[in-house]
């Protein structure tokens, strides 16, 4: 009889305790919504490795509804935990944020579970819902979450065929009339789910997905930074040239080449940046207040893109001043240029464009990681970036050589370009790379402090009425 009762006990999925612990290390809080009473939910939560002492379980059923009579443990009464889903928001606004810190909710109905997910989202959390693919009540819950994963339950309907062989291993994805019915139900339930796990699939597959997603999101952010910085820097180069009463340092075709070919190609190559071993031990940021650090990031952008702008303008001004042997700063009508002077202007713009592309490649080499210095994470480990950089530099320099050859055909004397123009164009690594790492170092100190604070808040469950 005792063994029979043990057989009816709920068993967690294999390695689920280790999975929950690894989620905690990654800054992902595992929350278990149970329809059972508080005592039963705590008993199963303890088997999952969840904390079950104080400030650990909230009842989502109303006080006048069905349930086990409310909080009966002395420490829960002292903690003054909210009772019912309707009490969660007032508790967060007037008492403390314990409902956002615990990992166990009991007496949960589907409606209250969805409402709690919305509360998590309102407070900046990204909710990923994992549930049974055969529970039709989970469909709306899956739809309410930011990400949903349907899981096939452990099978219990194996059967034998006429030849005494197993015709169905219990999976709802195998053949058989019963399995087909279950598969159809699971497909309808999991319509909002982009991911579906078979019953024999390890939950660590989700951790691999999270790790790759974090790497891609970080790379996308750095790529977007490169695209925006390149566009602003190119505009700044022409703006400075206009303020100096000079023609544009880069004409329309050159800007199209930079903004539509060079920058997207370099930004796309950042998606193949090497994996950071600390990705799954990093605390994620809340999904709100994204503009809080925008002034600091704007200062970083100015510091990091100022050298390319200054050096490009210097290359353009010195080349133009040498190739056009008359006063050029505001004393020449650029609309009435001779063919020789027009060729000299093209040559100056080509030199400026080549210098700007060269500096964009240098900036992209420092964007393999947000905070790690370039010496720790060498860009040459990213083969896609190496290929993209080589291709953009080769095509840019080839086009520059072609335009310079055409300028020579129009009697432009390129020998008048001084040696220091080329030195200015090639001195970028000595000025640009140290500034990039200085910004990274400052950002790293700030990021480290924020990580320590986030880990402290994540692991702390002390509330206003926590028991002594």
């Amino acid at each position: 009889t005792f063994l029979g009762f043990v057989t009816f006990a709920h068993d967690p999925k294999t390695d689920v305790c280790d999975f929950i612990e690894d989620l905690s290390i990654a800054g992902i809080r595992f929350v278990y919504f149970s329809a059972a009473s508080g005592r039963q939910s705590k008993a199963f939560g303890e088997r999952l490795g969840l904390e079950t002492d104080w400030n650990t379980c909230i009842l989502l059923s109303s006080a006048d509804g069905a349930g086990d009579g409310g909080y009966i443990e002395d420490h829960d009464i002292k903690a003054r935990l909210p009772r019912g889903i309707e009490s969660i928001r007032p508790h967060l606004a007037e008492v403390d944020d314990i409902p956002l810190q615990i990992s166990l909710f009991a007496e949960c109905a589907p409606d209250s579970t969805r409402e709690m997910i919305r509360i998590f989202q309102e407070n900046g959390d990204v909710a990923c819902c994992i549930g049974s693919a055969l529970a039709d009540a989970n469909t709306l819950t899956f739809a309410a979450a930011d990400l949903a994963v349907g899981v096939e339950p452990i099978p219990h309907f194996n059967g034998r065929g006429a030849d005494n062989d197993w015709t169905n291993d219990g999976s709802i994805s195998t053949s058989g009339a019963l399995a087909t019915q279950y598969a159809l139900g699971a497909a309808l339930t999991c319509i909002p789910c982009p991911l579906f796990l078979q019953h024999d699939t390890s939950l660590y597959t989700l951790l691999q997905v999270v790790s790759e997603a974090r790497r891609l999101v970080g790379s996308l952010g750095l790529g977007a930074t490169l695209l925006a910085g390149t566009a602003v820097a190119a505009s700044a180069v022409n703006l400075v040239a206009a303020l100096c009463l000079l023609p544009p340092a880069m004409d329309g075709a050159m800007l199209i080449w930079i903004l539509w070919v060079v920058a997207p190609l370099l930004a796309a190559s950042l998606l193949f940046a090497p994996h950071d071993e600390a990705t799954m031990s990093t605390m994620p940021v809340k999904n709100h207040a994204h503009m809080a650090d925008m002034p600091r990031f704007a200062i970083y952008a100015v510091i990091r893109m100022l050298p390319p702008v200054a050096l490009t303008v210097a290359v353009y001004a010195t080349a133009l001043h040498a190739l056009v042997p008359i006063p050029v700063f505001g004393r020449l009508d650029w609309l009435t240029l001779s063919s020789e002077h027009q060729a000299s202007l093209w040559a100056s713009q080509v030199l400026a464009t080549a210098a700007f592309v060269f500096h964009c490649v240098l900036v992209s080499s420092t964007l393999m990681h947000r905070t790690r210095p370039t010496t720790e994470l060498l860009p040459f480990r990213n083969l896609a970036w190496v290929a993209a950089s080589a291709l953009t530099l080769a095509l840019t320099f080839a086009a520059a050589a072609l335009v310079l050859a055409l300028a020579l055909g129009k009697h432009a004397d390129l020998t008048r370009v001084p040696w220091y123009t080329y030195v200015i164009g090639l001195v970028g690594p000595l000025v640009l790379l140290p500034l990039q790492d200085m910004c990274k170092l400052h950002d790293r100190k700030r990021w480290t402090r924020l990580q320590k604070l986030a880990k402290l808040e994540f692991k702390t469950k002390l509330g206003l009425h926590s028991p002594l």
Side-chain angles (χ1 to χ4, degrees):
T1 304
F2 175 73
L3 293 179
F5 281 115
V6 172
T7 304
F8 280 105
H10 294 288
D11 291 326
K13 193 176 177 67
T14 305
D15 297 333
V16 68
C17 297
D18 296 333
F19 171 74
I20 294 175
E21 183 178 357
D22 289 341
L23 284 179
S24 179
I25 295 175
I28 303 173
R29 193 182 307 280
F30 179 87
V31 179
Y32 174 52
F33 291 92
S34 171
S37 62
R39 282 185 172 181
Q40 293 175 330
S41 301
K42 284 188 175 183
F44 186 70
E46 189 173 2
R47 301 183 67 182
L48 293 175
L50 303 178
E51 297 182 8
T52 57
D53 44 10
W54 51 270
N55 274 3
T56 56
C57 181
I58 289 181
L59 307 181
L60 291 187
S61 62
S62 301
D64 54 350
D68 62 357
Y71 299 109
I72 58 177
E73 289 86 354
D74 185 61
H75 49 71
D76 285 338
I77 297 175
K78 289 183 178 179
R80 300 185 188 178
L81 296 175
R83 173 68 188 273
I85 187 63
E86 68 278 356
S87 304
I88 300 296
R89 286 189 177 89
H91 186 93
L92 292 174
E94 301 171 3
V95 185
D96 52 39
D97 62 345
I98 287 299
L100 304 177
Q101 303 293 337
I102 67 171
S103 298
L104 186 57
F105 291 89
E107 300 182 11
C108 302
D111 292 340
S112 60
T113 301
R114 289 192 291 271
E115 189 64 23
M116 192 64 213
I117 289 177
R118 297 188 186 97
I119 292 175
F120 279 123
Q121 294 169 335
E122 292 170 2
N123 288 271
D125 290 324
V126 177
C128 174
C129 180
I130 305 177
S132 172
L134 296 179
D136 57 349
N138 287 341
T139 303
L140 295 179
T141 306
F142 288 152
D146 298 292
L147 176 65
V149 181
V151 180
E152 178 187 20
I154 298 176
H156 295 289
F157 48 88
N158 297 333
R160 293 181 182 271
D163 55 355
N164 206 33
D165 294 331
W166 289 102
T167 59
N168 187 4
D169 64 355
S171 174
I172 61 177
S173 60
T174 56
S175 61
L178 183 59
T180 302
Q181 297 174 16
Y182 277 100
L184 177 60
L188 295 176
T189 301
C190 296
I191 288 177
C193 301
L195 298 176
F196 180 83
L197 297 182
Q198 302 291 341
H199 70 88
D200 55 350
T201 303
S202 174
L203 290 175
Y204 277 94
T205 304
L206 294 179
L207 283 179
Q208 296 175 359
V209 173
V210 171
S211 177
E212 185 64 17
R214 287 187 174 185
R215 187 192 67 82
L216 288 176
V217 168
S219 299
L220 282 172
L222 294 175
T225 300
L226 178 63
L227 288 174
T230 302
V232 173
S235 302
V237 169
N238 281 344
L239 177 61
V240 174
L243 293 177
C244 295
L245 303 180
L246 296 175
M250 295 178 286
D251 62 11
M254 298 173 184
L255 290 176
I256 290 176
W257 169 254
I258 291 173
L259 300 180
W260 288 13
V261 179
V262 175
L265 195 58
L266 294 175
S269 68
L270 297 180
L271 294 176
F272 301 90
H275 183 75
D276 183 17
E277 60 276 4
T279 298
M280 293 306 292
S281 60
T282 301
M283 304 297 293
V285 297
K286 289 284 188 178
N287 195 29
H288 60 66
H290 298 290
M291 306 297 290
D293 288 332
M294 190 57 64
R296 179 165 60 91
F297 292 142
I299 294 176
Y300 291 157
V302 171
I303 295 175
R304 300 179 78 162
M305 299 306 296
L306 184 60
V309 173
L311 294 175
T312 301
V313 173
V315 168
Y316 174 64
T318 55
L320 185 62
H321 181 71
L323 293 176
V324 182
I326 55 178
V328 297
F329 291 95
R331 300 185 182 182
L332 182 65
D333 186 2
W334 298 104
L335 300 178
T336 58
L337 291 176
S338 63
S339 59
E340 179 182 353
H341 289 166
Q342 184 66 49
S344 300
L345 176 60
W346 289 347
S348 302
Q349 290 176 333
V350 164
L351 291 175
T353 302
F356 187 80
V357 171
F358 175 64
H359 292 125
C360 287
V361 171
L362 291 178
V363 171
S364 67
S365 69
T366 65
L367 294 177
M368 299 298 156
H369 194 272
R370 172 182 167 181
T371 58
R372 293 178 63 181
T374 309
T375 54
E376 288 186 12
L377 194 63
L378 295 177
F380 302 106
R381 294 173 54 187
N382 186 348
L383 298 181
W385 176 86
V386 172
S389 301
L391 180 62
T392 54
L393 289 177
L395 293 178
T396 300
F397 290 153
L402 178 61
V403 174
L404 292 177
L406 294 176
L408 285 174
K410 294 189 176 184
H411 309 291
D413 188 5
L414 299 180
T415 60
R416 293 203 300 264
V417 178
W419 60 269
Y420 52 82
T421 298
Y422 302 101
V423 172
I424 293 174
L426 296 175
V427 79
L430 301 178
V431 179
L432 191 145
L433 296 180
L435 283 177
Q436 305 293 317
D437 284 344
M438 286 176 57
C439 292
K440 282 188 173 185
L441 180 60
H442 188 275
D443 189 23
R444 187 174 190 172
K445 293 179 179 178
R446 175 76 175 179
W447 177 254
T448 302
R449 290 197 298 267
L450 292 177
Q451 283 292 299
K452 291 180 179 179
L453 179 60
K455 289 181 180 180
L456 181 62
E457 293 178 349
F458 182 83
K459 297 178 180 179
T460 299
K461 294 182 176 62
L462 294 177
L464 180 62
H465 301 288
S466 298
L468 299 178

